[in-house]
Amino acid sequence: MEWIDEGIVLGVRRHGETSAILELMTLAHGRHLGLVRGGAGTRLRGVLQPGNALRATWRARLDEHLGHYAVEALNLRAGSFLSAAHAVHGVTHLAALCRLLAEREPHAAIYAALETILDSLGDPRLAAPMIARFELDFLAELGFGLDLASCAATGTTADLVYVSPRSGRAVSRAAGEAYRDKLMRLPAFLHAPAAPETANDLADAFALTGFFLDRHAFAPRGLTLPEARTHLVTALARFGQ
């Protein structure tokens, strides 16, 4: 068995004296692991860093085997993250999300969005709304997408400012005003791409996506939201407008 694909490094762990097990989010083969001979050495240390983009050749005798990777650097962006706390936490959190996906199942849209975010991660004002939207899209990829297109009570598509924590559906201002204390805020930029993002909007967005990620993605697996996400949201808040 052999294939060649593009991949983003999610993580790496030492295996034996000189090798490493590399975890990639690949374009066509999903989240996929493989052994890299010499991966624990200095020559590949800078290449096998979370967030870097690689061209990977995977080989194994049988498809179900761990297999071996031969890798070639495409974009060694990880080095630029080290001086920015939000970027370090961002890479860690995004990798934790991708680990919720089943191994070896392609998610091309997630891969493309992940690469776009990583290319912009150095600029927190660009990255913050992108990560919030990514979390929303990730929920949909898992089968738990929120319905933000129309009001759950009236069907209107105008003035949607709340989300029901029970149903995950949008609620208009008029329909939700009497229940506002029981509803979550819906920032406009999550359903209207041209809308601006204020610091309050971003805080509301991360509160919203965090609530549903915890309910549908982490808690059912006996997990809590990653600590890196908490640090990421805190770090991004410092750059709010």
Side-chain angles (χ1 to χ4, degrees), residues 198-221:
T198 66
N200 287 337
D201 288 334
L202 289 170
D204 289 337
F206 283 119
L208 180 67
T209 55
F211 175 84
F212 286 101
L213 281 171
D214 182 49
R215 172 190 283 181
H216 295 304
F218 287 94
R221 294 169 171 82

Side-chain angles (χ1 to χ4, degrees), residues 8 18 39 65 73 81 113 136 195 212 220 233:
I8 296 168
T18 61
H65 288 176
F81 300 156
L136 203 62
F212 286 101
V233 173

Side-chain angles (χ1 to χ4, degrees), residues 147-161 169-176 191:
D147 183 354
L148 306 181
S150 61
C151 175
T154 66
T156 183
T157 58
D159 204 22
L160 303 175
V161 298
R169 296 192 61 188
V171 180
S172 69
R173 189 186 308 275
H191 64 94

Side-chain angles (χ1 to χ4, degrees), residues 77-166:
R77 57 169 77 89
S80 65
F81 300 156
L82 298 178
S83 60
H86 77 274
V88 173
H89 297 313
V91 172
T92 303
H93 170 54
L94 293 169
L97 286 179
C98 289
R99 289 191 183 99
L100 299 176
L101 300 171
E103 286 188 52
R104 305 190 180 195
E105 289 185 3
H107 295 272
I110 292 295
Y111 179 90
L114 182 62
E115 185 143 57
T116 299
I117 292 172
L118 291 171
D119 283 339
S120 303
L121 194 55
D123 186 338
R125 291 179 176 83
L126 286 177
M130 293 171 72
I131 293 173
R133 292 190 186 102
F134 179 84
E135 291 185 335
L136 203 62
D137 293 340
F138 192 85
L139 281 163
E141 193 78 6
L142 293 178
F144 301 106
L146 307 189
D147 183 354
L148 306 181
S150 61
C151 175
T154 66
T156 183
T157 58
D159 204 22
L160 303 175
V161 298
Y162 302 114
V163 174
S164 166
R166 183 173 180 179

